[in-house]
């Protein structure tokens, strides 16, 4: 299960390297990116640790974490991070997450990234169900997941502890048969 990669019209997913720390920091270190995330802006040291952890998990057997650099196909620049994580207690299921550098927002890259991750999850990993949790106020994430074919399922109450307070999460999910139907639609 290593290395994995995937491409769409304008973007690609590739395995992270040690040279990606600055690109990942430009995403995870940005307060605007983290406004609705479960964690605050990361420091460079924290980002280095995260990239190291992602790289270590990529070659684990079995592999349960699939974290990628999101790159532009035009020049290979890393502009975001996407992650799918399977759960041994939830056979066939995975959670996922995605974040892009703010100067790239608003061009449809979010939807393209989600579809790359879902394509990987269903077509390469053979999963049955993928879900993501977002902050109730994260409208960009809600619309991005909806546009990518995911269904809003409900609320996990007081799911996240952030800034000393409990916060709900809204769950969006998609099943393998829904993906197959929507992938067919976008191909047509
Ligand atoms: C979520 C994110 C990836 C979207 O990226 P993007 O490239 O701007 O998204 P797209 O251009 O593909 O837009 C997708 C949809 O979201 C909508 N959208 C984007 N930003 C929005 C905003 N700030 N408010 C409301 N809707 C927004 C777009 O209008 C589009 O919907 P539409 O097609 O119905 O009009 C980006 O905002 C991001 O990285 N946010 C920080 C990290 C994050 O919140 N990740 C999700 C964690 S659950």
């Amino acid at each position: 299960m290593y290395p994995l990669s995937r491409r769409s019209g304008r973007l690609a997913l590739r395995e992270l390297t040690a040279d990606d720390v600055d690109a990942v920091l430009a995403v995870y270190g940005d307060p605007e990116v983290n406004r609705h995330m479960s964690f605050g802006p990361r420091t460079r040291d924290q980002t280095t640790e995260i990239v190291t952890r992602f790289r270590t998990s990529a070659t684990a057997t079995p592999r349960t974490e699939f974290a990628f650099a999101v790159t532009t196909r035009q020049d290979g620049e890393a502009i975001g991070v996407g992650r799918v994580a399977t759960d041994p207690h939830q056979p066939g299921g995975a959670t996922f997450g995605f974040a892009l550098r703010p100067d790239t927002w608003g061009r449809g890259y979010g939807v393209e990234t989600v579809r790359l991750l879902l394509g990987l999850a269903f077509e390469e990993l053979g999963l049955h169900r993928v879900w993501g949790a977002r902050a109730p106020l994260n409208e960009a994430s809600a619309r991005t997941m909806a546009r990518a074919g995911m269904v809003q399922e409900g609320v996990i109450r007081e799911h996240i502890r952030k800034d000393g307070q409990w916060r709900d999460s809204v769950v969006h999910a998609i099943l393998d048969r829904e993906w197959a139907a929507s992938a067919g639609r976008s191909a047509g």
Side-chain angles (χ1 to χ4, degrees), residues 14-34:
R14 66 154 169 78
E15 302 285 0
L16 286 152
T17 74
D19 292 338
D20 286 321
V21 170
D22 287 331
V24 175
L25 182 61
V27 181
Y28 284 173
D30 190 307
E32 195 51 31
V33 170
N34 289 274

Side-chain angles (χ1 to χ4, degrees), residues 33 37 98-100 104-111 133-134 138-141 143-144 147:
V33 170
M37 306 278 262
F98 51 91
L100 300 176
T104 69
W105 292 356
R107 301 180 204 167
Y109 284 169
V111 176
R134 64 158 172 99
N138 194 347
E139 199 53 39
S141 174
R143 288 178 65 163
T144 300
R147 186 63 75 189

Side-chain angles (χ1 to χ4, degrees), residues 37-121:
M37 306 278 262
S38 54
F39 50 86
R42 302 298 202 188
T43 63
R44 192 168 206 289
D45 285 351
Q46 288 171 328
T47 305
T48 304
E49 258 175 54
I50 291 167
V51 170
T52 303
R53 182 169 59 76
F54 282 162
R55 294 184 63 231
T56 304
S57 69
T59 52
T61 309
R63 185 173 183 185
T64 58
E65 184 171 50
F66 302 83
F68 299 97
V70 179
T71 63
T72 60
R73 286 189 59 188
Q74 195 178 10
D75 56 14
E77 187 187 11
I79 60 162
V81 181
R83 175 179 175 271
V84 175
T86 58
D87 178 351
H89 302 292
Q90 196 194 118
T95 54
F96 90 132
F98 51 91
L100 300 176
R101 213 176 60 208
D103 63 300
T104 69
W105 292 356
R107 301 180 204 167
Y109 284 169
V111 176
E112 207 166 319
T113 297
V114 169
R115 291 188 68 82
L116 276 167
L117 291 166
L118 296 177
L120 180 111

Side-chain angles (χ1 to χ4, degrees), residues 118-138:
L118 296 177
L120 180 111
F122 292 117
E123 294 166 23
E124 310 216 15
L125 307 184
L127 295 173
H128 171 60
R129 171 188 157 81
V130 177
W131 64 280
R134 64 158 172 99
L137 295 178
N138 194 347

Side-chain angles (χ1 to χ4, degrees), residues 145-162:
M145 289 191 279
R147 186 63 75 189
M150 302 182 75
V151 175
Q152 185 172 312
E153 290 189 333
V155 173
I156 309 176
R157 294 179 304 150
E158 302 195 359
H159 180 216
I160 297 296
R161 184 88 179 156
K162 190 171 178 189

